[in-house]
Amino acid sequence: MARKGAFTIVAKNYIGLASILRDSVVQRNPDVAFHIFVADEFENSAEPLDNHIHIARRVLDYPDEQWTTMAFQYNLTEFCTAIKPACFQYLFSQGYTEVLFFDPDIYTFAPLTSLFSRLNEAEVILTPHVVETHVRYHGDQPEWTFNCNGIYNLGFCGLKDSPAVRTFLDWWRVRMDDNAFTDRSVGNFTDQKWMDWVPALFADQLCVVRDLGVNVDRKSTRLNSSLRSA
């Protein structure tokens, strides 16, 4: 039987927002364990955290020198995205077989059944920024920004534990060591731009979800949401 998990990554000042996301997930999905990874650290005198809140440095298997280098070379957003592959690896190591990631500013309005069901067939779930062919494009964001920032929006993604996915996570994690910068001069945009490689790496094991209710931006007029940004 699949063991389902979900998670987000935040700085400690965002734990409250992440907890709202967690509540929206677990209230509608009692079979899903939701975890919050905190990228920065606490003083030793800090109050104990709930079991679902993890200090990332304590549970992720980064050597101290590498962790310190990444923490200082990246800004906060870049750093939180850079440790995302390692968070997936940690949850797989804890026995979860199907895992969804959500940005902390997302809120869910319906069960996640349809998303987990897609992992019965696919190993990777992604959502694109654009879901139709616009001969004359009139979107809020210029099309060239997607060429720079990535075709897929990594505010949400899903992975199923498999040998291919574990190899992919190794590949993704290595690139996050030094290439999670937002740097258009070399074609990097946090962890997100690297997802443009996934169709070549996974072929039939990739599910691109075009449902307008999934991973909806708060500026969007799409209202038929099962997931929607808060």
Side-chain angles (χ1 to χ4, degrees):
M1 179 181 295
R3 188 179 177 202
K4 302 173 183 177
F7 74 99
T8 192
I9 305 169
V10 295
K12 59 186 175 184
N13 63 314
Y14 260 53
I15 290 177
L17 187 64
S19 297
I20 294 173
L21 164 61
R22 177 182 181 272
D23 290 346
S24 78
V25 171
V26 299
Q27 287 172 4
R28 298 169 178 85
N29 305 270
D31 60 335
V32 177
F34 195 97
H35 298 264
I36 299 171
F37 291 89
V38 183
D40 46 4
E41 298 180 64
F42 289 77
E43 298 295 335
N44 292 333
S45 60
E47 294 183 6
L49 300 173
D50 292 336
N51 290 336
H52 62 271
I53 301 176
H54 310 287
I55 305 303
R57 186 170 187 175
R58 299 178 187 173
V59 299
L60 303 182
D61 58 346
Y62 286 99
D64 288 343
E65 182 177 355
Q66 182 183 11
W67 180 271
T68 301
T69 297
M70 291 173 64
F72 277 94
Q73 74 182 3
Y74 290 134
N75 66 32
L76 181 58
T77 298
E78 292 166 344
F79 183 60
C80 286
T81 64
I83 64 174
K84 191 182 298 179
C87 293
F88 271 108
Q89 289 176 323
Y90 173 78
L91 291 176
F92 286 150
S93 75
Q94 300 302 300
Y96 295 98
T97 55
E98 297 175 352
V99 177
L100 304 179
F101 167 80
F102 300 93
D103 266 353
D105 61 350
I106 286 176
Y107 190 89
T108 65
F109 290 87
L112 303 175
T113 308
S114 65
L115 294 175
F116 279 108
S117 68
R118 295 170 193 261
L119 288 175
N120 291 332
E121 302 296 331
E123 295 181 333
V124 181
I125 301 175
L126 295 175
T127 53
H129 285 110
V130 178
V131 297
E132 297 176 357
T133 302
H134 300 272
V135 177
R136 296 284 183 256
Y137 180 80
H138 301 289
D140 293 336
Q141 298 292 326
E143 283 183 302
W144 65 263
T145 62
F146 303 129
N147 291 333
C148 296
N149 300 344
I151 300 302
Y152 304 100
N153 187 304
L154 259 286
F156 163 80
C157 64
L159 297 177
K160 179 170 63 179
D161 191 13
S162 72
V165 166
R166 291 194 176 223
T167 299
F168 166 71
L169 286 171
D170 289 339
W171 174 90
W172 192 17
R173 178 170 170 171
V174 166
R175 280 140 188 85
M176 294 299 92
D177 290 348
D178 299 300
N179 287 286
F181 292 105
T182 299
D183 186 353
R184 288 173 175 164
S185 69
V186 295
N188 285 346
F189 186 78
T190 65
D191 65 326
Q192 183 168 286
K193 181 63 175 173
W194 292 100
M195 292 304 99
D196 289 357
W197 290 65
V198 172
L201 300 178
F202 277 89
D204 295 339
Q205 294 303 311
L206 167 64
C207 176
V208 177
V209 180
R210 294 179 172 83
D211 183 341
L212 297 186
V214 176
N215 202 7
V216 179
D217 185 85
R218 62 184 172 186
K219 296 179 181 178
S220 174
T221 57
R222 304 167 184 167
L223 297 177
N224 58 328
S225 56
S226 54
L227 310 178
R228 193 178 175 201
S229 182

